[in-house]
Amino acid sequence: MSTAMRAKMQITSVTAYPTAGPATQEMLQFSPVGSSSYPSDGSDEDNTYARYTPCGSISLTVQNPALLGQYKLGDTFYVNFASVA
């Protein structure tokens, strides 16, 4: 049995946590893609992802200096899950 799964997630919130200087970490909140209006023929890829993953959330804290400020509200990503066992 395969335990692999792919979700299409969109950033819904980016919160920077500054210290005395520039931000040293950011909290990224993701939710599955979704919309109230899809083409009736189902041709929109988001429609397929929303059908099988209608709700959920992922929260990640990023501390890698090279990645800070790189993620923007509304950015969309594929998130792949694969079992390590």
Side-chain angles (χ1 to χ4, degrees), residues 21-61:
T24 57
Q25 64 183 17
E26 292 177 334
M27 174 73 73
L28 307 175
Q29 298 278 50
F30 295 81
S31 293
V33 294
S35 174
S36 59
S37 60
Y38 293 112
S40 60
D41 65 1
S43 61
D44 186 304
E45 181 184 68
D46 289 354
N47 186 22
T48 302
Y49 279 94
R51 177 177 176 200
Y52 293 107
T53 312
C55 63
S57 65
I58 296 174
S59 176
L60 300 172
T61 299

Side-chain angles (χ1 to χ4, degrees), residues 6 15 28 32 34-35 37-40 48 61 64 71 77-79 84:
R6 181 178 233 196
T15 305
L28 307 175
S35 174
S37 60
Y38 293 112
S40 60
T48 302
T61 299
N64 181 339
Y71 296 97
F77 298 89
Y78 293 115
V79 180
V84 296

